[in-house]
Amino acid sequence: MRVFKFGGASVKDANGVKNVLNVLKETGYSNLVVVVSAMGKTTNALEDLVALYLKEGAEFKPLIQDLEHYHKEILETLFEDKKHSVFKRVKKLFKDMQTTLKRNKSTQYDYIYDQIVSFGELISTTIISEYLNHEGLKNEWLDARNFIKTDNTYRDAQVNWETTQKKIQEKDIKNGLSITQGFIGSDDNNFTTTLGREGSDYTAGIFAYCLNADSVSIWKDVPGVLNADPRVFDKTELLSHISYEEAIELAFYGASVIHPKTIQPLQRKEIPLYVKSFLKPMNEGTSVKKGQPLDPHLPCYIVKKNQILVSLSSLDFSFIVEDMVSEIFSLLHQYQIKVDLIQNSAISFSLCLDDKFNHLDELLAKLKIKFKVTYNTGVSLFTIRHFTNEAIKSLETNKDILLKQITRETYQMVSR
Ligand code: ADP
Ligand code: ASP
Ligand code: MG
């Protein structure tokens, strides 16, 4: 059994969908679960839709029309027969989305978000499953919400592993080809949940774990995991082999090519992960396995933009001691703010933070009751794994550095 995952970039248009067919033909498609994300930038558009829907007096319908038009164009290129049932199925999904919005009584943003944003994956997998069937690759469309069971932390749902494992094993997915959605699951009341942005890689990891799969391949618009983010650095090299530990570290520091939660379930069962180019499916790409040393052994550069650097100092010059630190962390937990880096001295405490859920103002208000607070928004966190002096020197050139930290294998720096 193998698990594949195709992300938004790989299915952003009709050619992308046709390319999925090519990849499957080249690499084989028996005993395969294929996890697919929403097409292109659909998730961003659906996020905008939810924001508009909740804004008094705002007109959100044009956004739905744009999205329907985008998907219809893809469908019309893929299917010559305009009477093919896929047109109706997709139309119905758009209708269901509008009905959900119309009937909704909740004002809870995160809940509404999950009920609506999940349509991106439901629509993309419907199109792809139908297209593959049409092209002779008979497959079963699976609703991931019947398998991935989670708690009700909407937008950041935590997987209930026991139930998920049971549901997936009960289904007895074998032999054939199955197509399912990344990113989405459902809670005990069968409301739709999502696993966090970019969470489709994680879905592939969950299915692989529960199926005791032989491997997971995630198909990307890059040749594999590179030693630097190609959007930021000019010179990058492909990492052929990395260990699970290395992959977790890279993903944790912000190498967005792999979702950080993906590795852990794979590592637990020693299921290899391949990161490969969807344009060159027969190329090796990157393999992530147990204990294999980083090859080639190069400094790896990671950038996390749009972070926040907060510095706290005590109001009365007293030390920032354990009880205060514990209070700070419980607030961070409460507001779902992730800590990238910490540095402290006797009377000051600095944190580089990632505020994915936009709760910074609430956090700052609470902190200001007890501390003198200074902060910078929009800072970048740079990390070099396996740094060399030369690598640090070239990175620091022309940067306004606010904070630096070096441990044995990892150099980190926050700059404006
Ligand atoms: P998906 O289509 O699966 O969602 P993503 O866009 O999330 O794919 O991930 C692929 C992108 O990750 C690449 O296009 C690249 O810009 C970016 N990226 C960031 N860091 C790295 C890295 N170290 N190696 C490869 N790609 C990286
Ligand atoms: N469609 C979701 C997103 O864009 C999940 C994913 O692509 O992994 O975040
Ligand atoms: Mg993505």
Side-chain angles (χ1 to χ4, degrees), residues 36-39 42-43 46 117-126 141 180-184 200:
V36 188
S37 304
M39 293 175 150
T42 298
T43 304
L46 289 167
V117 172
S118 48
F119 275 98
E121 271 69 12
L122 294 171
I123 294 165
S124 69
T125 50
T126 300
W141 182 90
T180 195
Q181 308 77 40
F183 178 57
I184 72 174
S200 296

Side-chain angles (χ1 to χ4, degrees), residues 141-388:
W141 182 90
L142 302 178
D143 188 332
R145 296 170 298 183
N146 295 334
F147 302 98
I148 310 280
K149 297 303 291 184
T150 70
D151 68 4
N152 62 0
T153 317
Y154 300 110
R155 285 180 72 203
D156 190 23
Q158 304 299 308
V159 173
N160 180 336
W161 283 96
E162 222 168 285
T163 332
T164 299
Q165 171 117 29
K166 206 167 136 240
K167 297 268 178 200
I168 290 178
Q169 284 175 351
E170 268 169 14
K171 169 73 188 158
D172 198 21
I173 305 169
K174 267 199 210 119
N175 301 324
L177 171 63
S178 309
I179 311 291
T180 195
Q181 308 77 40
F183 178 57
I184 72 174
S186 71
D187 64 15
D188 286 344
N189 293 316
N190 289 328
F191 287 118
T192 306
T193 56
T194 65
L195 307 174
R197 285 301 308 260
E198 303 298 327
S200 296
D201 292 353
Y202 184 37
T203 303
I206 300 167
F207 269 99
Y209 179 91
C210 295
L211 290 165
N212 292 315
D214 296 309
S215 68
V216 173
S217 302
I218 53 180
W219 299 94
K220 299 277 171 177
D221 59 355
V222 282
V225 181
L226 306 168
N227 78 318
D229 186 333
R231 293 166 300 187
V232 183
F233 295 90
D234 296 334
K235 268 179 43 195
T236 58
E237 282 189 57
L238 176 67
L239 303 173
S240 302
H241 302 281
I242 60 180
S243 63
Y244 293 118
E245 289 78 4
E246 191 66 48
I248 282 198
E249 296 283 357
L250 293 174
F252 175 81
Y253 290 124
S256 58
V257 62
I258 309 174
H259 187 277
K261 282 186 173 174
T262 314
I263 309 291
Q264 198 234 10
L266 301 182
Q267 179 264 339
R268 278 170 62 192
K269 288 200 173 164
E270 296 187 17
I271 299 167
L273 169 68
Y274 301 104
V275 183
K276 295 169 77 133
S277 159
F278 58 70
L279 295 174
K280 298 205 167 111
M282 297 323 271
N283 285 9
E284 295 276 325
T286 301
S287 83
V288 184
K289 289 183 185 161
K290 187 186 170 188
Q292 53 182 13
L294 182 66
D295 175 31
H297 198 280
L298 293 169
C300 299
Y301 301 80
I302 304 138
V303 192
K304 245 182 156 177
K305 292 186 178 166
N306 242 327
Q307 305 298 290
I308 304 135
L309 183 64
V310 178
S311 293
L312 309 172
S313 48
S314 46
L315 293 168
D316 59 358
F317 228 63
S318 62
F319 297 142
I320 297 195
V321 288
E322 287 75 5
D323 57 341
M324 291 190 205
V325 175
S326 118
E327 215 171 302
I328 296 166
F329 274 83
S330 102
L331 286 172
L332 290 165
H333 176 69
Q334 184 183 335
Y335 293 119
Q336 295 170 287
I337 296 179
K338 192 170 159 264
V339 183
D340 295 321
L341 182 152
I342 308 161
Q343 202 167 71
N344 68 314
S345 71
I347 55 163
S348 92
F349 196 76
S350 298
L351 303 128
C352 186
L353 304 174
D354 191 358
D355 180 27
K356 280 197 196 142
F357 298 93
N358 286 325
H359 292 150
L360 180 67
D361 291 341
E362 293 155 84
L363 173 78
L364 292 175
K366 285 273 172 72
L367 290 173
K368 280 176 183 165
I369 299 169
K370 294 223 165 154
F371 303 97
K372 180 172 169 280
V373 181
T374 52
Y375 66 97
N376 301 79
T377 52
V379 299
S380 296
L381 170 69
F382 289 86
T383 303
I384 314 178
R385 291 272 300 157
H386 316 292
F387 61 88
T388 59

Side-chain angles (χ1 to χ4, degrees), residues 15 17 36 41 63 65 70 105 111 133 138 168 196 230 261 308 335 345 352 355 367 407:
N15 278 337
V17 178
V36 188
K41 302 272 178 232
L63 277 188
Q65 281 158 8
Y70 165 64
K105 296 224 163 40
Y111 166 80
N133 268 327
K138 295 295 164 221
I168 290 178
K261 282 186 173 174
I308 304 135
Y335 293 119
S345 71
C352 186
D355 180 27
L367 290 173
T407 54

